[in-house]
Amino acid sequence: MNHDNMQYGLRIAAMKQKLIEMAQGNLNTYLNIGANEDELEGIAMLLNMVTENWAQRVKHAAMGTSVLHEQYFQLFHLQLDYDLKIIDLSDLSLSLLNIPSSKILNKPISSIICPQSNKRLIQTTLLVKNRSSYEQTTLLKFTHHPLSMVYQAQVQHNSLSLTYSLQLMALRHAEFKPNFNTLNKSQMKQKAYIEGQIQKVHSFLCNPKNYKKVNQEYLCKEFGLNAYTLKTKFKEIYHDSFYNFHLRIRISNSKLLVMTTKLPLKKIAHICGFNCYPSFHRAFKKQYHITPKDLRTTRSRLALESKNL
């Protein structure tokens, strides 16, 4: 068996293992996305996308309980290599961390977390790598974040791709939680309700079925929020406006459809909630610096060249 066939077999095996994990309800691992530019990479991206979408829905439901929803919000994933460099993350992760990809991708995670957090992470990765535990939980404090925020990270080891997967959720420090001397019970209840509704707005925006329904008036009516609260609280929690966040989600999904399906580009624009193809074309090119047509042509050419090798 030559090297290429061996690599192909390993990638297929990783996907099979990923599907088994998803069937078992494990939504904390992600496939490593390389630079192969082929159909398998497109499938791997799709599996990662489905995993993150499912994880958001499951964990948002759990965070909706009266016990947890005041403590937890935001969730995303990072994938690290054995040197603890960040080798993969989603658009949502970049949005929530509020860091440009150039300052985080292929950079050591120690550059954006405090020394104590880095030390804990090293110890945790050694535990999961040595199979002392299937997964471990640790706390990470990102140095560019407000002091009132720290992230709880579930760490898993993937021996096939030689990576660590981190599933992170934002957690408020207990010492910074407002007490009843600051807010009365009625105010606390109102605050909890608003944060819960903003989480629901986030889940609503992530659902492809709702791509055409999003405007400020509709969201305010649907989730019982006024315009000011919707705009300010969504940006406070997710570090972006609901409009920009929703646009990025739609563009990201459209890219996946362009690369992995043969759907007409106008159909993809319609599926992703664009009223006309020119507006989709402009938004896509602005995000990825290439047109949808050129991206598809390039992918097809690379796939054909790969088959002819």
Side-chain angles (χ1 to χ4, degrees):
M1 179 180 292
N2 61 39
H3 178 73
D4 288 343
N5 288 340
M6 183 179 296
Q7 288 296 317
Y8 186 88
L10 288 173
R11 293 167 69 197
I12 290 292
M15 290 181 187
K16 288 181 179 178
Q17 179 61 33
K18 173 62 184 167
L19 287 169
I20 291 172
E21 291 175 353
M22 292 173 69
Q24 293 173 340
N26 179 8
L27 303 176
N28 296 313
T29 62
Y30 294 84
L31 292 166
N32 186 31
I33 303 298
N36 294 286
E37 297 289 341
D38 57 14
E39 291 299 319
L40 281 187
E41 183 180 315
I43 295 172
M45 290 175 62
L46 182 60
L47 285 172
N48 284 348
M49 189 175 181
V50 171
T51 297
E52 186 152 344
N53 186 274
W54 286 3
Q56 288 173 8
R57 295 177 187 283
V58 170
K59 291 191 175 181
H60 270 296
M63 287 188 286
T65 66
S66 59
V67 176
L68 294 179
H69 78 282
E70 292 180 11
Q71 296 180 350
Y72 294 97
F73 56 97
Q74 302 181 357
L75 56 129
F76 59 96
H77 89 280
L78 299 174
Q79 200 162 15
L80 313 179
D81 64 12
Y82 275 1
D83 294 325
L84 302 188
K85 290 183 180 179
I86 300 170
I87 58 174
D88 186 35
L89 73 167
S90 65
D91 290 342
L92 176 62
S93 304
L94 287 172
S95 173
L96 294 181
L97 284 173
N98 199 22
I99 304 178
S101 60
S102 60
K103 292 187 178 181
I104 188 171
L105 199 57
N106 296 318
K107 300 290 194 303
I109 194 171
S110 59
S111 65
I112 57 172
I113 61 176
C114 69
Q116 296 89 338
S117 293
N118 190 55
K119 183 178 180 180
R120 285 196 299 265
L121 180 60
I122 292 172
Q123 295 171 341
T124 303
T125 54
L126 288 175
L127 285 175
V128 294
K129 183 180 179 181
N130 295 329
R131 297 296 182 184
S132 300
S133 174
Y134 176 69
E135 69 178 29
Q136 287 281 327
T137 300
T138 188
L139 296 179
L140 302 179
K141 179 181 175 183
F142 288 79
T143 53
H144 66 290
H145 266 242
L147 289 176
S148 58
M149 298 298 300
V150 69
Y151 282 82
Q152 177 176 285
Q154 288 184 334
V155 183
Q156 291 186 335
H157 173 241
N158 189 322
S159 59
L160 187 61
S161 61
L162 305 181
T163 59
Y164 300 107
S165 177
L166 276 62
Q167 185 78 15
L168 298 106
M169 291 194 299
L171 170 68
R172 281 189 214 149
H173 280 296
E175 60 265 32
F176 287 95
K177 292 172 66 175
N179 55 43
F180 291 116
N181 293 327
T182 305
L183 299 176
N184 60 40
K185 290 184 178 181
S186 176
Q187 291 173 317
M188 288 287 287
K189 186 175 181 179
Q190 176 68 8
K191 184 175 184 296
Y193 169 79
I194 290 173
E195 289 185 355
Q197 292 305 99
I198 294 297
Q199 289 176 10
K200 291 178 182 178
V201 170
H202 177 274
S203 294
F204 183 89
L205 296 178
C206 291
N207 189 341
K209 294 181 179 179
N210 301 323
Y211 281 172
K212 291 181 176 293
K213 299 180 181 178
V214 175
N215 60 61
Q216 181 174 289
E217 183 180 356
Y218 180 89
L219 292 176
C220 289
K221 183 177 179 181
E222 183 72 13
F223 297 99
L225 300 167
N226 62 50
Y228 177 79
T229 299
L230 171 64
K231 290 189 289 186
T232 57
K233 293 300 290 186
F234 191 96
K235 190 164 187 177
E236 176 186 325
I237 294 175
Y238 295 107
H239 304 294
D240 204 352
S241 69
F242 72 83
Y243 175 81
N244 287 338
F245 174 82
H246 189 238
L247 179 62
R248 274 204 318 278
I249 289 290
R250 291 155 59 208
I251 290 294
S252 178
N253 284 354
S254 72
K255 181 183 178 183
L256 189 65
L257 291 174
V258 168
M259 293 192 301
T260 60
T261 75
K262 295 183 180 180
L263 289 171
L265 296 179
K266 288 185 178 180
K267 178 68 174 178
I268 291 175
H270 177 76
I271 290 172
C272 294
F274 290 89
N275 293 326
C276 63
Y277 182 77
S279 63
F280 165 65
H281 183 277
R282 286 193 300 270
F284 193 99
K285 187 174 182 180
K286 182 178 180 180
Q287 179 71 23
Y288 297 114
H289 308 292
I290 189 173
T291 67
K293 182 179 179 180
D294 288 345
L295 177 61
R296 175 169 281 179
T297 301
T298 302
R299 293 279 298 184
S300 299
R301 177 175 55 79
L302 291 173
L304 183 61
E305 290 175 355
S306 178
K307 288 179 181 179
N308 292 334
L309 289 178

